[in-house]
Amino acid sequence: MDFTILSIIMLAIGIYGLLTNRQLLKVFISIEMIAIAASLNFVMLATPNGLSEALMILAFSVDTAVSAVILALLVIVSKRYGTGDLSKIISKQENEESEDEAQ
C-alpha cells in the first residue's frame, strides 16, 4: 500500500511540474517522473507469471527509448533557438513563420 501512495505522489508531482514549468529540461524531468510512477505501478502489481514480467520489461524499454528521443530533441531545439525557455522558443518560431509569410 505504501508504494501506491508513493506512485500517486510521484504522479502528482510530475503533472504539477509539467503544467507549471517553462524550461525544457524541467518539463522533461516532469515527464520522467510520470513515467517512473507508471513503472512503479508495474513493479508493484507484478505477479510471478511470465506475462507481468514481460510487460515490465516492455515498459522499461519503451520509457528508455522515449527518454533518448526526448533528450535528442531537447539538444536540437536548444541549438536551433539558443534557449531552453518554452515561451522564448514559441515567440522565435512565430517570428520565423511571420517572416516566411512576408516573403
Side-chain angles (χ1 to χ4, degrees), residues 87-99:
S87 58
K88 291 180 183 178
I89 290 171
I90 291 170
S91 65
K92 286 183 179 182
Q93 185 178 13
E94 289 174 351
N95 288 340
E96 287 178 1
E97 289 176 359
S98 64
E99 289 175 1

Side-chain angles (χ1 to χ4, degrees), residues 42-43 45-60:
F42 275 118
V43 171
L45 298 174
T47 57
N49 63 7
L51 180 62
S52 61
E53 292 171 358
L55 289 175
M56 283 189 332
I57 292 171
L58 179 66
F60 291 146

Side-chain angles (χ1 to χ4, degrees), residues 24 68-83:
L24 286 175
V69 169
I70 290 174
L71 281 175
L73 289 173
L74 287 177
V75 169
I76 291 169
V77 168
S78 296
K79 284 184 178 181
R80 179 173 178 175
Y81 294 107
T83 185

